Amino acid sequence: MPPKRRIRWAVLPVGIAAAAVLAGCTPTELNGFLPGFVEDGAPATNRTEMVSGLWVNSWIVLLAVGFITWGLMGWAVIAYRRRRGQVGLPVQLRYNMPIEIFYTIVPLILVIGFFAFTARDQAILETQTEDPDVSITAIGKQWAWDFQYDGESESDTVWSMGVQAQTDARGDIVSELPTLYLPVDQTVKIKLQSRDVIHSFWIIDFLYKKDMYIGKDNYWSFTPTREGTYAGKCAELCGEYHSMMLFNVEVVSQSEYDSYLASLRASGQTGDINDAYDRLQNLPGTGGSAPEGQD
């Protein structure tokens, strides 16, 4: 049998075995045990699979490099071990040019590859939708969240204000958490603002988080693709009750979303709430003036 055919027949069982093992994996396992996937494999947003793909493929490459490196180390330990009867030091070599070129070029290729794929995906993730179906302002504050649903005019804008999580003696949360509502299968653009210190907006199952700075707005564009309730939190240490800075995300149908906005409007929660509750209205360079009595 020709050598090439022998190799082919040797590799075939390995490929079949690998396919069988992967076929038995759940979506969570196939996506590197990251959150954001359910049993049917449906991702939470249109960007979730991109993030998990970068994560899983990076680990595959790194583990392959690791196994090769560990194998070479083990081979060197066995092949060049001291034999019985040997004395003194082994032959000393100053350098091996082919090997040195190899272990210089290969890591460089790996670093360039990781950078290229990361930069490609980051460029897509950071591209903002110019004409979203829904525009929302998420406002971080010590230690809770406000959500403003921006309309075409101030009278169309509605909002909800939250307070930090309250716990009982056992540490269980007993209060209602601030909740962000999103319509499923609609493009969303969220403006991220802070009223006081640096916070970080993190919806865990969406596999993405972004910092919220004072005096500088950040943005995040995506499309939620699966209805459900998702947990969110602040991912930047922001003070004494940072751990209580939690919120929920409800991805609902368009009709439920419209009904929720109507309920906020009926409660009189309309208009822009930013200016009235901004604790840092006298930031240098903003042109703002200090609140009365704080000059």
Side-chain angles (χ1 to χ4, degrees):
M1 182 180 293
K4 288 186 177 180
R5 183 169 296 180
R6 291 176 185 172
I7 295 174
R8 189 177 305 157
W9 281 107
V11 171
L12 184 60
V14 176
I16 294 174
V21 171
L22 292 175
C25 293
T26 66
T28 300
E29 292 167 343
L30 289 174
N31 286 280
F33 296 94
L34 293 174
F37 296 87
V38 292
E39 290 304 316
D40 63 1
T45 75
N46 64 325
R47 302 300 191 200
T48 307
E49 286 184 311
M50 177 185 296
V51 178
S52 68
L54 182 63
W55 170 264
V56 172
N57 291 326
S58 297
W59 270 110
I60 290 174
V61 173
L62 292 173
L63 286 174
V65 172
F67 282 120
I68 293 172
T69 303
W70 298 325
L72 291 173
M73 291 170 62
W75 172 77
V77 168
I78 296 172
Y80 298 104
R81 72 189 187 281
R82 183 187 293 274
R83 265 66 172 185
R84 180 177 301 176
Q86 288 183 332
V87 295
L89 295 174
V91 177
Q92 302 298 299
L93 300 176
R94 295 184 59 186
Y95 57 84
N96 185 304
M97 187 61 70
I99 292 179
E100 290 193 12
I101 292 174
F102 175 80
Y103 67 60
T104 300
I105 296 298
V106 170
L108 181 62
I109 293 173
L110 288 173
V111 170
I112 292 174
F114 280 126
F115 175 82
F117 286 112
T118 302
R120 179 201 64 184
D121 291 354
Q122 181 176 319
I124 296 172
L125 290 167
E126 292 296 327
T127 299
Q128 305 304 323
T129 303
E130 294 301 324
D131 187 23
D133 298 317
V134 175
S135 294
I136 297 172
T137 301
I139 306 162
K141 60 186 182 182
Q142 293 177 312
W143 286 273
W145 305 88
D146 296 341
F147 300 115
Q148 180 168 293
Y149 303 85
D150 302 313
E152 296 182 1
S153 64
E154 186 168 330
S155 60
D156 294 329
T157 299
V158 296
W159 48 262
S160 66
M161 299 184 67
V163 296
Q164 71 191 60
Q166 305 295 316
T167 59
D168 58 19
R170 297 195 310 169
D172 297 328
I173 297 174
V174 296
S175 62
E176 184 176 350
L177 296 179
T179 301
L180 171 65
Y181 279 76
L182 301 173
V184 69
D185 295 327
Q186 300 293 307
T187 56
V188 176
K189 185 175 183 178
I190 301 182
K191 180 194 291 187
L192 303 172
Q193 295 182 333
S194 171
R195 287 216 183 95
D196 34 51
V197 299
I198 298 176
H199 299 286
S200 186
F201 186 78
W202 184 22
I203 304 175
I204 299 169
D205 281 2
F206 289 11
L207 303 186
Y208 191 81
K209 58 185 175 182
K210 204 162 190 176
D211 283 353
M212 311 166 84
Y213 297 101
I214 308 163
K216 180 185 183 301
D217 296 339
N218 274 336
Y219 295 87
W220 177 20
S221 296
F222 61 95
T223 302
T225 54
R226 191 180 76 231
E227 293 186 28
T229 301
Y230 304 92
K233 61 175 65 178
C234 177
E236 187 77 32
L237 182 60
C238 58
E240 183 177 4
Y241 296 101
H242 161 70
S243 62
M244 297 292 97
M245 195 168 170
L246 309 173
F247 66 98
N248 286 328
V249 177
E250 293 284 351
V251 178
V252 298
S253 65
Q254 184 65 53
S255 59
E256 290 180 80
Y257 178 76
D258 292 337
S259 296
Y260 175 70
L261 297 192
S263 68
L264 296 179
R265 190 171 295 109
S267 300
Q269 297 169 223
T270 61
D272 192 327
I273 63 172
N274 286 328
D275 295 337
Y277 295 95
D278 191 354
R279 290 171 53 190
L280 299 169
Q281 298 176 25
N282 58 335
L283 286 172
T286 62
S289 58
E292 185 178 350
Q294 297 184 23
D295 295 330

